[in-house]
Amino acid sequence: MSYWMQWLTKPIDRRVYLTGNVMVNKYYGSCLCGRVSYEVSGDFDAFYLCHCSRCQKDTGSAHAANLFAKAGRLVWLKGETDVTHYQHPGSLDTKSFCQCCGSALPSFAESINCVVVPAGSLDTPISVTPTAKIFVADCAAWSVDLSNVPSYDALPGQVNQDSK
């Protein structure tokens, strides 16, 4: 069994949330249109950049960037009825998203007993850095080495404006 599967399937101790004086980290996030917002309580155990072909399709990009909280608790603050869930047949691949704007949102993956949070959906800054790149054998050829690609603070040729 791979390290990834061993970590995902190891049992967790949920007693940490039953102690009265333990400070629990809270993170907040939302979708692009603002109809859905959530809170995740607990610590992130891992932060994977997944390059598998399903995550490429799921995100429309080179990889997914997901945080995993095995002892985490997910609470929808608003818009829970706007959250749609998709489970890819015959796999562990699960996706939750806003049915209005399509933004990726957290889900509780029962198969691994874990809250999975798309990093880009967080509004709260995190200090966690990626744990690993996984399924790199499936990496999109165009994204293998981006070190020579120019970087810009805004769209090239446009006046730097705040787009929020």
Side-chain angles (χ1 to χ4, degrees):
M1 183 181 288
S2 70
Y3 169 79
W4 163 246
M5 288 307 296
Q6 287 175 2
W7 179 85
L8 289 175
T9 57
K10 82 177 175 188
I12 60 169
D13 184 353
R14 294 199 180 270
R15 290 175 295 171
V16 69
Y17 293 100
L18 301 176
T19 58
N21 296 328
V22 174
M23 182 142 193
V24 176
N25 288 321
K26 291 189 178 188
Y27 302 93
Y28 299 90
S30 59
C31 66
L32 183 61
C33 71
R35 291 179 69 135
V36 179
S37 62
Y38 66 87
E39 171 189 286
V40 173
S41 302
D43 292 318
F44 295 119
D45 303 298
F47 182 2
Y48 290 115
L49 304 180
C50 183
H51 292 267
C52 80
S53 59
R54 287 189 185 126
C55 283
Q56 289 177 45
K57 290 282 187 190
D58 184 27
T59 63
S61 188
H63 60 79
N66 289 313
L67 296 142
F68 294 80
K70 286 190 69 81
R73 182 172 165 252
L74 172 62
V75 176
W76 299 108
L77 300 177
K78 73 175 185 179
E80 184 175 4
T81 58
D82 291 316
V83 179
T84 298
H85 308 279
Y86 172 74
Q87 171 73 49
H88 190 71
S91 76
L92 297 177
D93 187 28
T94 301
K95 178 177 181 157
S96 295
F97 57 95
C98 174
Q99 65 184 358
C100 299
C101 67
S103 294
L105 293 166
S107 59
F108 182 79
E110 290 181 25
S111 60
I112 57 174
N113 199 29
C114 189
V115 176
V116 180
V117 181
S121 71
L122 285 168
D123 298 325
T124 305
I126 57 171
S127 59
V128 179
T129 57
T131 306
K133 295 178 187 179
I134 59 174
F135 295 101
V136 294
D138 296 333
C139 186
W142 57 265
S143 71
V144 173
D145 182 12
L146 301 175
S147 61
N148 292 324
V149 176
S151 297
Y152 301 93
D153 287 337
L155 187 62
Q158 300 293 314
V159 175
N160 190 5
Q161 297 177 351
D162 186 3
S163 60
K164 293 181 183 180

